Amino acid sequence: MDDRVSSPPHLAISGVLAQLRGYLASASLPDDGRLPPERELADVLGVTRAEVRKGLSVLESEGQIWRHVGKGTFLGARPPQLVDISDLSQRSNPLQVMKARIALEPELARLAAVNGTAADLATLADIAVACREAETWREYEAFDSRFHHQIAEAAHNPILLALLETLNAVRRAVTWGRARPSHSRPPADHHSFADHDRIVDALSHREPATAADAMRRHLQNVEDRLVGRLG
Amino acid sequence: MDDRVSSPPHLAISGVLAQLRGYLASASLPDDGRLPPERELADVLGVTRAEVRKGLSVLESEGQIWRHVGKGTFLGARPPQLVDISDLSQRSNPLQVMKARIALEPELARLAAVNGTAADLATLADIAVACREAETWREYEAFDSRFHHQIAEAAHNPILLALLETLNAVRRAVTWGRARPSHSRPPADHHSFADHDRIVDALSHREPATAADAMRRHLQNVEDRLVGRLG
DNA sequence: CACTATAACCAAAACAATATTGGTTGCGAC
DNA sequence: GTCGCAACCAATATTGTTTTGGTTATAGTG
């Protein structure tokens, strides 16, 4: 245990660590919190790149910094990665999609009852009619999608609208089992028609709680049929 | 009105339209549904680029195709654009963020009560304790953020987790007015401590409705203080 | 042998320069 | 005026190069 001349290995590392901490405290970093590349740091601090990396590893495990190949080394916590639709759709199933819809859409209906303009609701009523008159399942589903999207528009909350659109993107990417015959069409007594009417009615009467409840029941109906409890 | 020699303009357009429809029906397009650039199409069909564009405009208004500068022309409906956090945060305000949280998080709490593992809930309880012991507002907010994130983890729904993370990214980007003094800390009777406890309690007793309600009340408290009705 | 400094290499990401592509405008011919 | 033609514009893709964190091989040092 001789540390007179040069620091022994296990102490040298902590020495680099101290140097690094000092650097972080003193150096003025750019706005994005990026610090110099490892090679440069090694040069500035007068130590090996390997030593710098050891020190940075400690700081990273402490949560002080985060690193990424090609990007660099940054101060603070690692930012959350953006949604990757294809990845997300492969880690999800239709039931989880329904649960997400049940979380979002009743609240969207509630907000639409408060924030929606008369023009918003008129458009929505038109879409509900178009749903009834669709001549194929494919056409119906397109209008049904627009129906729910229009409610999100009427809520006038750009964040929730963006979240619903993300959810819809995942929904399209998730493989759904049921492939309906292209020639058939939704029956005249399809439950969604009445569901949609109840939602439109509650919105036009500006009843937030009723609208949210109608939407929740509607989606619950869809989920029940998905799981096989009905339909 | 002489149409013996060459088709009059308004018929020539429909001629191109027919050609285009035929092309779409016959030509084998790549997987992404992309069709040749306008210049090439004009060459292949032996018409002007302007005529091709008129035809494509009709097809686009019919919803058959969608186009974008630099990208090209594609079959089908225009895909929804992904969320642009910085853009979204500039078009939103803190109240809308709260409304979005109120839409998502109570339902996440409900799912966490059903799907969360014992380990999930133990971690959550630890974080709740850390919230109480935080010595600065900044530290408290970091733990509070982890608290809500952990509930989303416990819900075991990757879609909703991704949506909450997107929402949190927007939340960070939105400029919040209140800048608390860095030396102060949350008071011991801060309402969130009791709120968190009620949520943890409901989850550990596996009571979905109670958990959702506790979360909703918690967020409502936060919103009330934001709007200035309280605290 | 144990440890380390040095260099080279790798894949991911950034960066820069160029080419495509839908959208638009101006000009001449008829 | 209308149409054909070409040039131009801005957004995007594409391609090639550089940077950067992560890894490995090799030789040096005690």
Side-chain angles (χ1 to χ4, degrees):
Chain A
M1 300 291 185
D2 180 0
D3 56 359
R4 285 174 306 162
V5 181
S6 64
S7 308
H10 65 283
L11 287 187
I13 295 171
S14 45
V16 174
L17 234 183
Q19 274 187 289
L20 282 173
R21 291 193 203 277
Y23 185 91
L24 294 188
S26 65
S28 64
L29 297 175
D31 293 343
D32 56 357
R34 179 179 187 177
L35 47 111
E38 295 176 350
R39 293 162 173 87
E40 192 174 324
L41 264 181
D43 198 25
V44 171
L45 302 184
V47 294
T48 322
R49 190 180 158 212
E51 282 180 308
V52 170
R53 285 183 56 74
K54 283 179 195 166
L56 290 178
S57 294
V58 176
L59 291 178
E60 186 177 32
S61 65
E62 287 177 356
Q64 301 281 338
I65 62 172
W66 63 276
R67 308 186 272 179
H68 196 296
V69 232
K71 283 199 173 104
T73 308
F74 300 82
L75 272 181
R78 180 184 310 271
Q81 56 186 4
L82 290 188
V83 275
D84 177 349
I85 303 291
S86 64
D87 168 68
L88 198 54
S89 63
Q90 288 188 332
R91 292 187 296 115
S92 312
N93 57 52
L95 184 57
Q96 290 172 325
V97 171
M98 282 311 306
K99 294 299 187 191
R101 292 189 68 187
I102 290 175
L104 271 185
E105 302 203 33
E107 209 58 25
L108 278 167
R110 182 194 309 277
L111 292 173
V114 180
N115 298 331
T117 68
D120 290 333
L121 302 184
T123 303
L124 186 68
D126 289 345
I127 298 174
V129 171
C131 283
R132 273 190 198 276
E133 295 172 349
E135 293 180 358
T136 65
W137 275 105
R138 180 184 176 80
E139 199 177 319
Y140 162 76
E141 277 157 9
F143 281 120
D144 179 70
S145 180
R146 283 186 56 190
F147 181 84
H148 291 270
H149 190 274
Q150 176 63 24
I151 292 176
E153 293 268 10
H156 290 280
N157 184 320
I159 304 172
L160 282 170
L161 177 61
L163 294 184
L164 183 77
E165 283 174 347
T166 303
L167 170 56
N168 277 333
V170 176
R171 185 148 72 107
R172 267 186 293 276
V174 169
T175 52
W176 296 80
R178 85 119 60 69
R180 289 145 169 156
S182 62
H183 59 275
S184 76
R185 55 180 293 176
D189 63 344
H190 187 44
H191 73 92
S192 289
F193 297 154
D195 288 357
H196 286 182
D197 287 344
R198 272 190 286 274
I199 295 169
V200 171
D201 193 60
L203 290 178
S204 63
H205 286 83
R206 304 290 185 179
E207 293 171 350
T210 311
D213 197 56
M215 177 63 85
R216 187 184 311 275
R217 288 172 189 271
H218 170 46
L219 294 174
Q220 196 62 57
N221 281 337
V222 176
E223 182 185 311
D224 287 346
R225 278 161 181 77
L226 175 71
V227 183
R229 281 193 285 269
L230 281 174
Chain B
M1 300 287 186
D2 180 0
D3 57 358
R4 285 174 305 162
V5 181
S6 65
S7 306
H10 65 285
L11 288 187
I13 295 170
S14 45
V16 175
L17 235 183
Q19 275 187 288
L20 281 173
R21 291 193 203 278
Y23 184 91
L24 294 189
S26 65
S28 64
L29 297 175
D31 293 343
D32 57 357
R34 177 180 189 177
L35 48 110
E38 296 176 350
R39 294 161 174 84
E40 191 175 324
L41 264 181
D43 198 26
V44 171
L45 303 184
V47 294
T48 324
R49 189 181 158 211
E51 282 181 308
V52 171
R53 284 183 57 74
K54 283 179 193 168
L56 291 178
S57 294
V58 175
L59 292 179
E60 186 177 32
S61 64
E62 287 176 356
Q64 301 282 336
I65 61 171
W66 63 276
R67 308 185 273 180
H68 197 295
V69 228
K71 284 197 172 113
T73 307
F74 300 83
L75 273 180
R78 180 184 309 272
Q81 54 186 6
L82 290 189
V83 274
D84 176 350
I85 304 292
S86 64
D87 168 68
L88 197 54
S89 63
Q90 287 189 332
R91 292 186 296 114
S92 311
N93 58 52
L95 185 57
Q96 289 172 326
V97 170
M98 283 311 306
K99 294 299 185 190
R101 293 189 67 186
I102 290 175
L104 272 184
E105 302 203 33
E107 209 57 26
L108 279 167
R110 181 194 310 276
L111 292 173
V114 180
N115 298 330
T117 67
D120 290 333
L121 302 184
T123 303
L124 186 68
D126 289 345
I127 298 173
V129 170
C131 282
R132 273 190 198 277
E133 296 173 349
E135 293 179 358
T136 66
W137 274 106
R138 179 185 177 80
E139 199 177 319
Y140 163 75
E141 277 155 11
F143 282 120
D144 179 69
S145 179
R146 283 185 58 189
F147 181 83
H148 290 271
H149 191 274
Q150 176 65 22
I151 291 176
E153 294 268 8
H156 289 281
N157 184 320
I159 304 172
L160 282 170
L161 177 60
L163 294 185
L164 183 77
E165 283 175 346
T166 303
L167 170 58
N168 277 333
V170 176
R171 185 147 72 106
R172 268 187 293 275
V174 169
T175 52
W176 296 80
R178 86 116 62 66
R180 288 146 169 154
S182 61
H183 60 273
S184 76
R185 55 179 294 177
D189 63 344
H190 188 43
H191 72 93
S192 288
F193 297 155
D195 289 357
H196 286 182
D197 287 345
R198 272 190 287 274
I199 295 170
V200 171
D201 192 61
L203 290 178
S204 63
H205 287 83
R206 303 290 186 179
E207 295 172 349
T210 310
D213 197 55
M215 178 63 85
R216 186 184 310 275
R217 288 170 189 272
H218 170 45
L219 294 174
Q220 195 62 56
N221 281 337
V222 176
E223 182 185 313
D224 287 347
R225 278 161 181 76
L226 175 70
V227 183
R229 280 194 284 270
L230 281 175

